[in-house]
Amino acid sequence: MNNDILKTLYSEQDIADACQRLGAEIQAEYKDRVPVAIGVLRGAVFFMADVLRNADTYMETDFIDVSSYHGGLASSGTIDLVTDISTDISGREVLLIEDIVDTGRTLKYLIDLLKQRGASDVKVCTLLDKPSGRVVEATSDFVGFVVPNEFVVGYGLDYKEQYRNLPYVGVLKPEIYSTN
Ligand code: IMP
């Protein structure tokens, strides 16, 4: 799998440092309150586990699964709710945990949905922010790295459902796209 990677963008150490920084920010933000942290499947699983273990504060956790990419390189534009949360979030503060914000469509869909359900506040923590891809307005409160306009894989991010288990974030060799 490592042989498919052209270059590393963020190493394991870079990511560990970012998780420590973001965990401290989250800890300070929610001091004395108990938010519900909601991870967006499947990409945010690795990041969520690491960042939240760096936040010494009370919280509940849940997951939601939405799909927009259908395994390829470009967003389809329509968001499907695949698996819902089971927590009643009415009147609760929510911290959404995302792997990457690209067009912003997924984030907007999720924020609207959670507010409709009565969340009193929705904040966003994302490992990566790709502002050059933005189609709808979407801002995050806690950001690991601002990424250039490249398709990235690893540490939760996939190409055709693979490469999520790479421990770092990198760019695939061009021939991987042409042969797959
Ligand atoms: P958005 O709705 O376009 O902001 O896309 C959000 C979702 O698209 C993310 O949660 C990822 O699953 C996927 N995505 C966007 N950019 C990339 C990328 O560079 N690599 C892998 N997945 C991506």
Side-chain angles (χ1 to χ4, degrees):
M1 187 171 58
N2 270 296
N3 285 335
D4 294 353
I5 304 299
L6 178 70
K7 63 175 175 187
T8 302
L9 281 186
Y10 307 109
S11 68
E12 285 188 72
Q13 190 58 55
D14 294 337
I15 293 170
D17 292 347
C19 286
Q20 204 170 23
R21 171 176 59 83
L22 294 172
E25 289 177 22
I26 289 167
Q27 181 177 322
E29 172 65 40
Y30 292 106
K31 190 173 175 288
D32 304 326
R33 279 136 43 221
V34 183
V36 184
I38 300 179
V40 184
L41 295 170
R42 299 173 195 135
V45 167
F46 296 81
F47 175 52
M48 182 169 176
D50 287 341
V51 76
L52 294 186
R53 280 183 296 173
N54 279 284
D56 180 9
T57 191
Y58 296 103
M59 64 178 70
E60 294 172 27
T61 53
D62 204 337
F63 291 95
I64 195 162
D65 190 3
V66 289
S67 113
S68 66
Y69 264 59
H70 310 297
L73 285 175
S75 166
S76 68
T78 24
I79 317 285
D80 302 317
L81 179 57
V82 181
T83 309
D84 208 343
I85 49 171
S86 55
T87 310
D88 176 4
I89 54 157
S90 94
R92 302 291 305 273
E93 288 184 83
V94 169
L95 174 64
L96 262 179
I97 315 276
E98 261 285 19
D99 54 355
I100 186 166
V101 182
D102 182 14
T103 65
R105 286 193 187 106
T106 306
L107 201 55
K108 186 180 183 317
Y109 171 89
L110 286 169
I111 292 172
D112 290 350
L113 181 79
L114 297 169
K115 288 204 166 150
Q116 254 173 41
R117 301 251 180 98
S120 60
D121 180 67
V122 181
K123 287 194 169 45
V124 179
C125 174
T126 188
L127 174 68
L128 306 176
D129 188 9
K130 206 194 273 184
S132 53
R134 214 60 107 247
V135 173
V136 298
E137 205 187 311
T139 47
S140 303
D141 303 274
F142 310 98
V143 177
F145 305 99
V146 176
V147 275
N149 192 17
E150 281 186 282
F151 190 82
V152 296
V153 295
Y155 197 65
L157 292 136
D158 75 303
Y159 172 59
K160 295 190 173 174
E161 289 304 329
Q162 295 182 6
Y163 304 100
R164 293 192 197 274
N165 56 318
L166 271 180
Y168 56 90
V169 173
V171 178
L172 285 171
K173 291 177 181 165
E175 60 262 35
I176 304 297
Y177 304 122
S178 45
T179 54
N180 281 291

